[in-house]
Amino acid sequence: MMPPRPRYARTLAAVAVLGVTLLRLLPSRSSVQNQYGWTATDTKPPSTLKPSATASQHAARLPTTNRTVTRPDITAKNLSGLSGHTDKTLEILNASLLNDDDDDDDDDDDDMDPFATQQPMGDRWSSPWKSQDNFDRWWRYSDSCYEINHVCRSAKNKWFYYGTNMEEPSQPTFELKYVPYSYRRGVYADTRARLKVRSSSRVNAKHLKGRCILSDVETHVVLHSQFDDMIGEFYGRALVNLFSIQNVERYNSSSNNAAEAQYYVHIPYENKATLLDAHKLFLSGLRGQHNASHPIRWAKEAVDFLHPDSDSNCECFKRVVFCGYSVYQQRENYTLWPGKYIDSFGVESCRGGSGNPYACDAYDRLRSALLYNIGSQYHDIDGMIVNRRREVLSSQNLIDGNYTGDTSEWTFVGLAQRSSRRRWINMPSVMNACREEFAGGGVVIVEVNVEHTSTPSEQFLLHRSLDAMVGVHGAQLTQGVLLPPYSHILELLPWVPSYARGDWVTWTSSPTPLGVIFHNTDLNHFGYKLGRCSVPLCEGEPVDKERECFEKEENSRQWNWDTRNFLVEPRVIIKFIRNFVLGRQHKKCGDLNEWAKKDGFVIYNVRCEEESQHVLRHYYRSDLLAPVRDCNFDDLSVEVSQERAAGGLDNADSKCPLPLESRKWLYYDRIDRDNQIIAGYASHAQDPPRLADADFENRTVDSKPAIPHRLVFTHRFDLLNCTESSSPESDPQLHLLASNVKATVAAYSAIWTDLDVVFLSMYKADLCRAAYLYLHGGYYADVDLLTVRPYVVPDDVDFATVKGMGLLRGEGFFQAFMAASKGNSIVYRSLEIMRDALYGDRARGKYLGPSALSEAYLEASNGTDYKSHPFPLIDGTRLLSEASLETRTDLSILPKQVKPPGFESCTVETSACNFVVFDSDSAVYFYSRVLGTRWCGQVLDDCSS
């Protein structure tokens, strides 16, 4: 059983009469020095650099010791003993050379707290070299990368600097903290992942002769990003940005020094600090790193570099770079804290910041580089792929020993499997169903499980031999970026009801956090929402008891989307292969979109044919809901599958007919798609809303919100049931508004299983909405309000609306969004004010509804002036704010509402574009106007010139 569908109620002009009747019945900083002592505002360092503090000053800060460290001039002769080719037995470095036996900071392991929190001290450091040509030193382009030079690690894991007669090295007092950026439940810090070295610890190189070995790799790079234990997060947070830094326009492509880097991945969680073969594989494919004549330098775990086993020898490094950290400077001391991302220094984000969803090419460039660079590590990669495919065909008795072809006549489809959590339970039966369906049709079905591979190279070959790949949202799909050009990927989206966390894995109005890695690449990326029946748990429970069953302690691990196993109907995979994979080079864009709508798929990214040209398209779906019908895991009949393909909310497009006969119609059709893209990008560019998470955690099964789960709209047409007769074809704007309303309903349907939707007549709309909310309660939204993500108040809040930009001008609240409980006193008072303005002697004002609502609120709060700072807030209410993206730099990441390219001849109104509605945490929920409507994007001419 599935939750009931939203009910679409339709209330005509009678509600206006009800509202009027009710009215009549109412009673009357300074420059910061860097480690060299020169400021970040300098364009280049001076020729002679002096340390910020003298050796005696440094020594004065150290604990008293019986030993002294001499720091004579260093000559090249002194460095002769530091060689990677020495055949002398390395000795344990003398503690007297380190001067740190009395270190009271480095060895207090007993005091280390694996659940400590970040406490940055000092000022945030910014790279002073970003405006220069750094040639082989690409890391200098990023504020999250920091370099130290000529540093050694002793056999006891003590770090110190050594002297050199080369240019003044970067040798500051430096500390790498082990605290991760954020903790998750059950996760604690790996306290070994730390490093501390003082600028006063520089040792004469001659003392190291025969004791330490100099690494034969010039540059060692330690990488960190949040959640980099998950390969998909590592790819999107670290790898793509690292590649972008290394390939900025100023980077000198003729330099080969980058090839000498040894990479280490810093996973700061002790119970998750395992480097995967995928980490090694992806990092081996960075620019210019290898070719087939050189051994592959695989990445290593950072802990093995920072804190190796106690029997390791002393080793010195010319350069160590730390990327993905927040760098803080306090005088001459530098502290690095693990950060969220590797800062890519202005590289355009693929999740927001641009009104053009086709502009970002970062993932496409990275994928192309990986395929080329990893492939170049093998002498005959094409031959290896053919041999592997032949082995698979032979194992399935599809060819014999006489076959000599290149296997191109076969289409290989891989089903991604995992050995533990998120395991595809019925994969064997799905594989059998597909083989039966496509018997003799040239389709080969194989299982893909990276946990069964033994080397990074085997993973690369496994994926390069496929033509298509299917798997549930998660890390096992990340290696899909290694598929051959123009391959197909189907991302199965887990079922996540409104009361569970994890809605981001079900996004269809833009790519999921994992799916974004395929964005604007040559890969064809599709999605399909799994329904309730994909969860083999609490079966047979009534709908109103399911949540209680799911959340029982014994079911919790099987219930959470990221740990549960799942079922998939065979028909879903069969439809995907038949309609989208087979004949993949000859698909027309329109046909693909129609098939996707019919069968419940979303097309995130596709290369298709349009007007005899191959183009890139995104057909996002804001109206796509998970199937609500029972699943069929046994019936393999294609005819039955076709009959049941349109399950759930009717996936057929219910918009009024859209005759694209003019430029004006084409404009509105394009704007309709752009609105969905803008909303999706704006949502995903932000962190998940904190209010919703807290609400889910605190809400009990029996809790009841003060404001019912009801959406209320007003318009002269019921846009949810638009028909040709009720929507004149001369008004393309109605089609756009209908699409926008459906998107709002879909957004709230995704979080509420008991949603009720009501359409009111536009007759005296201010009265209607207020009267209806007073009598019944609910959430009101203008039909031209663009929903980024649904705003939901806590259960104990009984009123919410928006402080609009016009409030200080006396125009009142921005009531394009308002929510109220049944019988709400503020709404009641606003009705009184409107009654007096319409039928009494009260001044009506410029905006009847907004001014009446704001005045009623001000009275209830005992406020006297709209310009009060802060604006008075009544307990049990919420007031959102409205602002322009042009004036709020903290919201600059959000996409802008702009006229689409190709329609320069159209004259449009833009006075109300790029205004957004947000909460006190600057989380954006709405754009004040959907693009293409009054005051924002409305066409003012026929667009024909």
Side-chain angles (χ1 to χ4, degrees):
M1 295 288 295
M2 288 296 296
R5 303 180 185 179
R7 293 184 293 110
Y8 298 99
R10 191 178 182 193
T11 307
L12 302 178
V15 177
V17 177
L18 176 64
V20 174
T21 302
L22 178 62
L23 289 177
R24 296 185 183 276
L25 295 176
L26 288 171
S28 291
R29 111 177 162 154
S30 64
S31 298
V32 179
Q33 287 188 331
N34 63 21
Q35 70 271 27
Y36 294 122
W38 51 277
T39 65
T41 57
D42 295 329
T43 57
K44 61 180 181 179
S47 57
T48 302
L49 299 169
K50 296 181 179 180
S52 300
T54 64
S56 61
Q57 288 172 322
H58 284 301
R61 300 187 183 97
L62 299 178
T64 304
T65 176
N66 294 327
R67 305 180 181 89
T68 59
V69 176
T70 58
R71 300 181 61 182
D73 292 336
I74 305 300
T75 65
K77 182 178 180 180
N78 297 135
L79 298 175
S80 60
L82 280 172
S83 169
H85 303 287
T86 179
D87 56 359
K88 295 183 178 182
T89 302
L90 299 176
E91 303 174 22
I92 297 178
L93 188 68
N94 237 325
S96 62
L97 297 178
L98 298 176
N99 194 29
D100 63 0
D101 279 358
D102 50 1
D103 189 336
D104 59 348
D105 293 324
D106 291 356
D107 289 329
D108 50 350
D109 292 62
D110 294 337
D111 297 330
M112 291 189 296
D113 179 10
F115 294 99
T117 57
Q118 284 196 17
Q119 295 179 340
M121 299 180 65
D123 299 315
R124 187 71 177 265
W125 175 83
S126 178
S127 173
W129 299 285
K130 289 189 293 188
S131 62
Q132 303 176 25
D133 289 327
N134 293 305
F135 300 103
D136 59 314
R137 301 189 180 188
W138 48 263
W139 52 87
R140 292 188 171 184
Y141 290 126
S142 173
D143 289 336
S144 64
C145 294
Y146 193 84
E147 167 190 0
I148 58 175
N149 304 131
H150 307 133
V151 63
C152 300
R153 182 195 61 237
S154 76
K156 294 183 179 180
N157 293 321
K158 305 293 183 180
W159 290 81
F160 61 96
Y161 294 118
Y162 67 88
T164 174
N165 67 335
M166 303 172 66
E167 79 172 272
E168 186 72 18
S170 170
Q171 295 185 335
T173 295
F174 171 92
E175 183 174 8
L176 173 69
K177 293 288 190 177
Y178 61 79
V179 180
Y181 178 84
S182 66
Y183 289 97
R184 290 169 290 166
R185 188 174 300 171
V187 177
Y188 46 93
D190 188 341
T191 57
R192 299 171 300 165
R194 59 195 174 98
L195 182 157
K196 190 170 185 179
V197 58
R198 293 191 177 94
S199 60
S200 60
S201 68
R202 191 161 74 169
V203 175
N204 191 327
K206 69 180 181 180
H207 293 304
L208 305 180
K209 186 175 181 179
R211 298 176 181 273
C212 296
I213 188 171
L214 179 65
S215 172
D216 59 351
V217 181
E218 185 174 280
T219 303
H220 294 253
V221 182
V222 180
L223 303 173
H224 174 271
S225 62
Q226 191 179 19
F227 308 134
D228 55 9
D229 56 297
M230 297 184 284
I231 194 61
E233 294 285 353
F234 174 77
Y235 192 97
R237 292 174 180 265
L239 196 72
V240 68
N241 291 332
L242 182 66
F243 174 79
S244 297
I245 298 170
Q246 294 181 351
N247 291 273
V248 293
E249 292 180 359
R250 293 187 302 273
Y251 187 78
N252 184 356
S253 60
S254 64
S255 172
N256 293 318
N257 290 334
E260 296 303 316
Q262 171 64 60
Y263 290 101
Y264 306 87
V265 179
H266 177 189
I267 301 175
Y269 315 108
E270 185 172 359
N271 54 337
K272 290 180 174 290
T274 301
L275 192 67
L276 304 175
D277 280 347
H279 287 104
K280 301 177 183 179
L281 181 62
F282 288 141
L283 285 171
S284 76
L286 289 180
R287 174 183 187 164
Q289 183 148 335
H290 305 293
N291 58 53
S293 62
H294 291 82
I296 300 175
R297 193 183 301 282
W298 299 116
K300 301 178 182 179
E301 293 186 14
V303 168
D304 294 337
F305 174 69
L306 300 171
H307 199 282
D309 295 336
S310 57
D311 58 353
S312 63
N313 295 306
C314 174
E315 188 171 7
C316 297
F317 313 93
K318 181 177 180 181
R319 181 184 299 115
V320 181
V321 178
F322 299 86
C323 276
Y325 298 86
S326 299
V327 184
Y328 288 87
Q329 178 183 9
Q330 189 176 30
R331 297 181 181 178
E332 71 276 9
N333 300 331
Y334 290 80
T335 306
L336 271 65
W337 297 87
K340 275 188 174 183
Y341 302 90
I342 292 179
D343 174 26
S344 58
F345 181 50
V347 174
E348 184 181 14
S349 169
C350 286
R351 292 187 181 179
S354 170
N356 182 2
Y358 297 94
C360 172
D361 64 349
Y363 287 105
D364 185 53
R365 291 186 292 108
L366 174 58
R367 166 172 150 78
S368 298
L370 291 177
L371 291 183
Y372 177 80
N373 289 334
I374 298 177
S376 67
Q377 300 169 13
Y378 306 92
H379 289 284
D380 183 18
I381 185 63
D382 292 333
M384 296 171 68
I385 293 172
V386 170
N387 287 336
R388 178 176 182 84
R389 288 164 64 101
R390 287 176 180 172
E391 291 174 2
V392 173
L393 290 169
S394 178
S395 67
Q396 296 189 17
N397 297 318
L398 297 174
I399 62 171
D400 56 27
N402 297 322
Y403 179 82
T404 59
D406 64 0
T407 71
S408 60
E409 69 271 30
W410 298 88
T411 298
F412 279 64
V413 180
L415 307 187
Q417 182 63 288
R418 298 172 65 129
S419 300
S420 54
R421 59 191 182 94
R422 265 177 280 166
R423 185 169 55 86
W424 190 334
I425 299 173
N426 65 327
M427 179 180 285
S429 62
V430 172
M431 295 177 71
N432 289 335
C434 291
R435 288 167 180 163
E436 178 180 334
E437 179 66 29
F438 298 106
V443 176
V444 182
I445 308 296
V446 299
E447 178 181 331
V448 176
N449 192 333
V450 296
E451 298 172 69
H452 293 167
T453 60
S454 56
T455 66
S457 300
E458 188 177 349
Q459 287 192 17
F460 180 65
L461 195 59
L462 172 64
H463 291 86
R464 279 300 301 273
S465 63
L466 299 175
D467 299 296
M469 187 173 174
V470 181
V472 73
H473 173 95
Q476 69 276 11
L477 282 183
T478 307
Q479 283 93 322
V481 298
L482 302 175
L483 266 61
Y486 307 107
S487 295
H488 287 66
I489 294 176
L490 174 60
E491 183 180 359
L492 300 172
L493 311 177
W495 180 66
V496 181
S498 60
Y499 48 81
R501 296 184 71 252
D503 67 293
W504 57 87
V505 306
T506 69
W507 289 341
T508 57
S509 58
S510 69
T512 63
L514 182 278
V516 73
I517 68 177
F518 310 125
H519 182 67
N520 284 348
T521 68
D522 61 297
L523 293 170
N524 299 291
H525 177 210
F526 298 77
Y528 183 86
K529 282 191 173 184
L530 299 176
R532 163 66 180 92
C533 56
S534 67
V535 184
L537 186 67
C538 298
E539 296 171 297
E541 288 283 343
V543 172
D544 59 349
K545 297 293 184 181
E546 278 188 340
R547 178 180 178 182
E548 183 178 358
C549 177
F550 288 146
E551 294 179 347
K552 289 181 179 178
E553 183 176 354
E554 62 268 24
N555 292 335
S556 59
R557 181 169 178 81
Q558 304 173 61
W559 157 238
N560 294 326
W561 76 265
D562 57 335
T563 56
R564 80 164 81 116
N565 300 328
F566 63 98
L567 298 164
V568 181
E569 292 180 274
R571 69 158 192 97
V572 175
I573 313 304
I574 291 173
K575 282 286 185 182
F576 170 67
I577 296 173
R578 181 177 299 282
N579 288 342
F580 305 117
V581 178
L582 297 181
R584 54 191 177 277
Q585 299 299 332
H586 307 287
K587 301 291 188 182
K588 294 187 179 298
C589 298
D591 292 342
L592 290 173
N593 192 25
E594 288 303 315
W595 293 334
K597 289 180 178 180
K598 176 185 176 185
D599 295 326
F601 291 87
V602 57
I603 304 179
Y604 295 114
N605 195 82
V606 69
R607 300 278 178 170
C608 52
E609 184 177 325
E610 189 175 272
E611 297 181 354
S612 301
Q613 293 184 342
H614 290 281
V615 296
L616 173 66
R617 288 288 179 262
H618 310 303
Y619 294 109
Y620 300 131
R621 301 282 302 280
S622 59
D623 60 342
L624 183 60
L625 303 180
V628 298
R629 58 179 173 76
D630 293 332
C631 298
N632 190 308
F633 298 106
D634 301 318
D635 195 336
L636 307 182
S637 167
V638 175
E639 290 73 23
V640 173
S641 296
Q642 289 173 340
E643 290 177 5
R644 299 177 176 176
L649 186 66
D650 187 4
N651 284 321
D653 191 355
S654 60
K655 286 170 54 176
C656 303
L658 187 60
L660 302 180
E661 299 176 351
S662 66
R663 292 277 297 163
K664 188 173 181 179
W665 276 102
L666 288 170
Y667 170 83
Y668 278 103
D669 186 52
R670 169 61 186 269
I671 288 295
D672 188 11
R673 287 181 283 145
D674 284 357
N675 282 322
Q676 297 181 31
I677 294 170
I678 289 171
Y681 273 59
S683 175
H684 304 163
Q686 307 176 76
D687 292 331
R690 281 177 275 179
L691 174 62
D693 289 348
D695 198 23
F696 289 143
E697 292 175 3
N698 297 330
R699 184 176 296 172
T700 64
V701 173
D702 298 327
S703 64
K704 186 176 181 180
I707 304 176
H709 295 169
R710 177 180 295 116
L711 281 180
V712 181
F713 301 95
T714 62
H715 198 269
R716 66 181 184 274
F717 296 119
D718 179 357
L719 297 175
L720 285 172
N721 298 285
C722 184
T723 63
E724 186 174 0
S725 60
S726 67
S727 175
E729 293 185 2
S730 60
D731 188 358
Q733 204 173 75
L734 288 179
H735 298 278
L736 184 143
L737 290 174
S739 178
N740 185 60
V741 167
K742 292 173 186 176
T744 300
V745 171
Y748 279 89
S749 295
I751 64 170
W752 292 337
T753 58
D754 57 345
L755 176 64
D756 185 20
V757 180
V758 175
F759 248 92
L760 308 177
S761 166
M762 279 192 65
Y763 177 71
K764 296 191 181 299
D766 289 343
L767 288 175
C768 282
R769 76 188 67 164
Y772 190 91
L773 291 180
Y774 177 76
L775 292 172
H776 303 285
Y779 289 70
Y780 169 81
D782 276 357
V783 295
D784 60 352
L785 184 73
L786 178 61
T787 301
V788 172
R789 56 189 181 190
Y791 179 74
V792 180
V793 300
D795 287 351
D796 58 348
V797 170
D798 59 13
F799 177 83
T801 190
V802 183
K803 295 183 293 182
M805 294 285 289
L807 184 61
L808 297 181
R809 298 192 298 268
E811 297 172 3
F813 283 151
F814 180 57
Q815 60 174 18
F817 173 83
M818 62 183 295
S821 60
K822 178 180 179 180
N824 185 270
S825 60
I826 296 174
V827 177
Y828 181 84
R829 177 56 182 151
S830 73
L831 285 168
E832 286 187 314
I833 295 172
M834 283 190 281
R835 178 203 60 186
D836 293 343
L838 288 171
Y839 305 108
D841 56 2
R842 189 185 188 99
R844 180 168 180 174
K846 185 176 181 181
Y847 299 101
L848 178 63
S851 58
L853 188 64
S854 55
E855 187 172 340
Y857 189 92
L858 199 63
E859 287 182 11
S861 65
N862 295 318
T864 59
D865 188 353
Y866 289 129
K867 299 181 181 180
S868 301
H869 294 286
F871 191 88
L873 181 65
I874 304 173
D875 289 342
T877 69
R878 291 290 188 274
L879 292 180
L880 300 174
S881 299
E882 184 190 29
S884 169
L885 291 180
E886 306 296 335
T887 61
R888 289 291 297 259
T889 57
D890 57 327
L891 302 177
S892 60
I893 190 175
L894 299 182
K896 301 294 194 300
Q897 293 174 310
V898 297
K899 186 194 308 185
F903 292 91
E904 290 77 8
S905 62
C906 299
T907 303
V908 300
E909 172 63 58
T910 60
S911 59
C913 288
N914 296 312
F915 287 86
V916 293
V917 174
F918 56 94
D919 63 12
S920 58
D921 294 322
S922 296
V924 173
Y925 294 89
F926 309 101
Y927 280 71
S928 301
R929 294 287 183 270
V930 66
L931 189 60
T933 53
R934 186 181 181 188
W935 298 314
C936 180
Q938 178 173 269
V939 176
L940 302 179
D941 56 15
D942 60 6
C943 245
S944 60
S945 59

